[in-house]
Amino acid sequence: MNKTILVTGAILGVLSIILGAFGAHALKELIPETAQQTFETGVRYQMYHALFLLFIGHSPLIKEKTKRIIFFLVVIGVLFFSGSIYGLATNCLSGFNFKSIGFITPIGGLLLIMAWCFMLGSFLNFSSKKVG
C-alpha cells in the first residue's frame, strides 16, 4: 500500500505543477482573473495533498488500514474538491455547466478534512500507547 500511496502522491504532485503552469500561461487570456485565482486554489490544494500522501506513505506511525482509509479519502477528496474547482474556474470554456455539480466541492473538502483527522487520530493513538 505504501508504494501505491507514494506513486499517487508523486502523480498528484506532477499534475499540480502541470496544471499550475497551464493555469498561469494558457488560461491567462481565456478566463477572468478571479477564475484564474480560483483555478490556482485547486492547484494549491492538490499539491498540499500530494505532499500529504508522500508523508503518509513514509510514516511508520500510521497503521496500514488507516493509511488505506486516508489514501481513498484524499484521492476522492482531491478529485471532488480540486476537480470541481478546475471545472468551475473554466466553466466559460466548456459546453458543460460545472455549476450544476458545484455541490461536490464541499464534499471533497470534507473528505480531505476527514483524512487529516484520521492522521491526527493515528498520532494520538500512537502517542497514548507509547506513554501509557
Side-chain angles (χ1 to χ4, degrees), residues 24 32 91:
N91 199 45

Side-chain angles (χ1 to χ4, degrees), residues 94-108:
S94 125
F96 182 78
N97 184 5
F98 284 95
K99 292 179 182 178
S100 65
I101 61 164
F103 67 91
I104 67 171
T105 307
I107 294 170

Side-chain angles (χ1 to χ4, degrees), residues 72-115:
F72 285 110
L73 288 171
V74 168
V75 169
I76 296 167
V78 166
L79 285 173
F80 280 19
F81 185 81
S82 292
S84 65
I85 286 179
Y86 299 145
L88 290 166
T90 59
N91 199 45
C92 63
L93 302 176
S94 125
F96 182 78
N97 184 5
F98 284 95
K99 292 179 182 178
S100 65
I101 61 164
F103 67 91
I104 67 171
T105 307
I107 294 170
L110 180 61
L111 295 174
L112 295 173
I113 291 167
M114 289 171 59

